[in-house]
Amino acid sequence: MKRETRNAPSPRLRRAGAKRKRIKLEALKFDKDGLIPAIIQDYKTGEVLMMAYMNKASLKRTLTLGKTCFWSRSRKKYWTKGETSGNIQFVKSVYYDCDMDTLLVKVRQVGQGACHTGNRSCFYRKIGSRA
Amino acid sequence: MKRETRNAPSPRLRRAGAKRKRIKLEALKFDKDGLIPAIIQDYKTGEVLMMAYMNKASLKRTLTLGKTCFWSRSRKKYWTKGETSGNIQFVKSVYYDCDMDTLLVKVRQVGQGACHTGNRSCFYRKIGSRA
């Protein structure tokens, strides 16, 4: 089952979601609503695809599943990116910043793209242009 | 003065900071504290360097100066990146996302890098590694 193997989270990623790595996740600074912003970047091209928010549980789920999983602030529920659209993001690696209050998730984006508008990236408009 | 010309904001960027573009900036969604997250990316390599927060005034200043300018939530003051360290970020372009609540700023990073630790990027540590 080559495809499944390809999409499975790496052992290192899976271990990061497991119990023995909890301390490191606890050290991250979640805001007063329990959220941390996660920048999603294409692991190959470097294109920034989107930004969304994770809470501790959705970050753990992201590490365990190997797919990005967020917390929707408006709907107050978890969502796995692409669960309805098929535009899944397979996680390659997760970085955290010097202040430990922002994540950078490198992914392999499948399907049409990251944006609900049909664009590959959510950042498809430029300030100062007429778009 | 070649160097000054190189570092000057492009006419398009300057126009974006000027009065006639105010409506577009007003349309951006700043949070209840008047802030919007700005992802800072190297315009050439695609490396994500840092994330920080802008308010409306620091965004205008960024567009007018052609250098990234942020609002410090802890110190409650503006800061131009690199004003003391020399690690200035010259702005190449500014994008906003589909929800209009996040910015992506492509920059030419000069000096040592974006991070106060001396690393080029603030995202120098990976979850699941021993770093």
Side-chain angles (χ1 to χ4, degrees):
Chain A
M1 302 291 283
K2 207 179 169 191
R3 183 159 173 81
E4 272 185 17
T5 311
R6 191 180 175 206
N7 292 342
S10 73
R12 174 172 281 180
L13 201 68
R14 228 170 25 231
R15 277 198 305 274
K19 206 170 178 179
R20 72 178 192 81
K21 283 289 178 188
R22 257 183 208 163
I23 295 154
K24 197 160 263 181
L25 299 192
E26 297 297 327
L28 291 173
K29 285 179 203 150
F30 295 86
D31 71 11
K32 60 184 188 304
D33 299 316
L35 300 174
I36 190 165
I39 302 163
I40 312 299
Q41 184 181 33
D42 185 297
Y43 85 108
K44 257 195 185 160
T45 65
E47 186 179 20
V48 175
L49 299 170
M50 58 181 274
M51 197 186 83
Y53 292 83
M54 291 184 179
N55 61 12
K56 213 174 283 174
S58 69
L59 172 57
K60 278 186 191 163
R61 209 183 276 207
T62 295
L63 294 167
T64 311
L65 282 180
K67 301 174 191 173
T68 56
C69 177
F70 304 99
W71 177 255
S72 166
R73 295 178 297 171
S74 51
R75 290 174 294 146
K76 298 198 187 305
K77 60 172 279 194
Y78 296 106
W79 59 286
T80 302
K81 177 74 188 165
E83 63 190 341
T84 52
S85 66
N87 300 335
I88 297 164
Q89 295 169 335
F90 292 103
V91 177
K92 291 291 181 177
S93 49
V94 182
Y95 294 79
Y96 54 98
D97 75 342
C98 52
D99 294 331
M100 305 190 83
D101 62 3
T102 308
L103 300 174
L104 173 64
V105 185
K106 301 200 180 191
V107 303
R108 182 167 66 81
Q109 173 73 61
V110 302
Q112 201 177 9
C115 189
H116 72 284
T117 59
N119 288 282
R120 182 161 170 82
S121 163
C122 294
F123 299 93
Y124 57 91
R125 289 172 299 180
K126 208 184 207 174
I127 290 183
S129 73
R130 282 161 218 282
Chain B
M1 301 291 280
K2 208 177 166 193
R3 186 162 170 77
E4 272 185 18
T5 311
R6 192 180 174 208
N7 291 341
S10 73
R12 174 172 282 179
L13 202 67
R14 230 172 21 234
R15 278 199 303 275
K19 207 171 179 179
R20 73 178 191 82
K21 284 290 180 188
R22 257 183 206 164
I23 295 152
K24 196 159 264 178
L25 298 191
E26 297 297 328
L28 290 173
K29 285 179 204 150
F30 295 86
D31 71 10
K32 60 184 187 304
D33 300 315
L35 299 173
I36 189 165
I39 302 162
I40 312 299
Q41 185 181 32
D42 185 296
Y43 86 109
K44 256 193 186 162
T45 65
E47 186 179 20
V48 174
L49 299 171
M50 56 181 276
M51 198 185 83
Y53 292 83
M54 292 184 179
N55 62 12
K56 214 175 282 173
S58 71
L59 173 56
K60 279 186 191 163
R61 208 182 277 209
T62 295
L63 295 167
T64 310
L65 284 180
K67 301 175 192 171
T68 55
C69 178
F70 303 100
W71 178 253
S72 164
R73 295 179 297 173
S74 51
R75 291 174 294 145
K76 297 198 188 307
K77 59 172 280 196
Y78 295 106
W79 57 287
T80 303
K81 178 74 190 164
E83 62 190 343
T84 50
S85 65
N87 300 336
I88 297 165
Q89 295 169 335
F90 292 103
V91 177
K92 291 291 182 178
S93 49
V94 182
Y95 294 79
Y96 54 98
D97 76 340
C98 51
D99 295 331
M100 305 189 84
D101 62 4
T102 308
L103 300 174
L104 173 64
V105 185
K106 300 199 179 190
V107 304
R108 183 166 67 80
Q109 173 74 59
V110 302
Q112 202 177 10
C115 189
H116 73 282
T117 58
N119 288 282
R120 182 162 170 82
S121 163
C122 294
F123 298 94
Y124 57 90
R125 290 173 298 182
K126 207 183 206 174
I127 291 182
S129 74
R130 281 162 219 278

